[in-house]
Amino acid sequence: MSAVELDRAVELLVRQVGHWQQPRWAATAAGGNMSRADLVHRLVQEIANRAADAEGGPRRAVPRLDNDLALPDQLRVVAADLVVAAPPPEVLARAAAEVTATRDTL
């Protein structure tokens, strides 16, 4: 799994949700018990955790901003941080799979 494939998965998700307004973010995710915004924030946190692990640093909570419209940008940032950390290919593969699974759930 290459960084290009992770970038592609992130870009597909961002294209899917980047134009959403607050009511769409607040709606419940398919088959779940959380909002779409909470689901994407959970994904952002998971990728940030993977980046911290790859860097050998401590895991930190990603702030849950008041405006859900910032979530696509947060996802892009943490995904870029993961790529820069140069983790093993299997870490990139798991991250890309998580992005794709989240996209399918939305």
Side-chain angles (χ1 to χ4, degrees):
M1 177 64 61
S2 71
V4 171
E5 290 166 308
L6 174 59
D7 288 343
R8 174 80 174 138
V10 168
E11 195 55 37
L12 287 172
L13 191 148
V14 167
R15 282 187 206 165
Q16 179 178 337
V17 303
H19 63 281
W20 286 3
Q21 295 301 314
Q22 191 59 43
R24 284 187 85 176
W25 282 110
T28 302
N33 59 356
M34 67 174 52
S35 72
R36 291 169 169 166
D38 289 340
L39 181 67
V40 173
H41 184 263
R42 187 178 76 189
L43 172 66
V44 168
Q45 184 64 60
E46 285 300 316
I47 293 178
N49 290 346
R50 291 184 189 284
D53 293 347
E55 293 169 348
R59 290 182 174 189
R60 294 186 176 93
V62 176
R64 183 71 165 89
L65 302 176
D66 292 335
N67 189 345
D68 295 331
L69 303 180
L71 286 165
D73 290 332
Q74 282 186 305
L75 178 60
R76 282 184 174 132
V77 168
V78 297
D81 288 346
L82 178 58
V83 169
V84 168
E90 59 271 8
V91 172
L92 293 173
R94 283 193 302 264
E98 288 173 358
V99 171
T100 299
T102 299
R103 183 172 173 251
D104 292 343
T105 302
L106 294 172

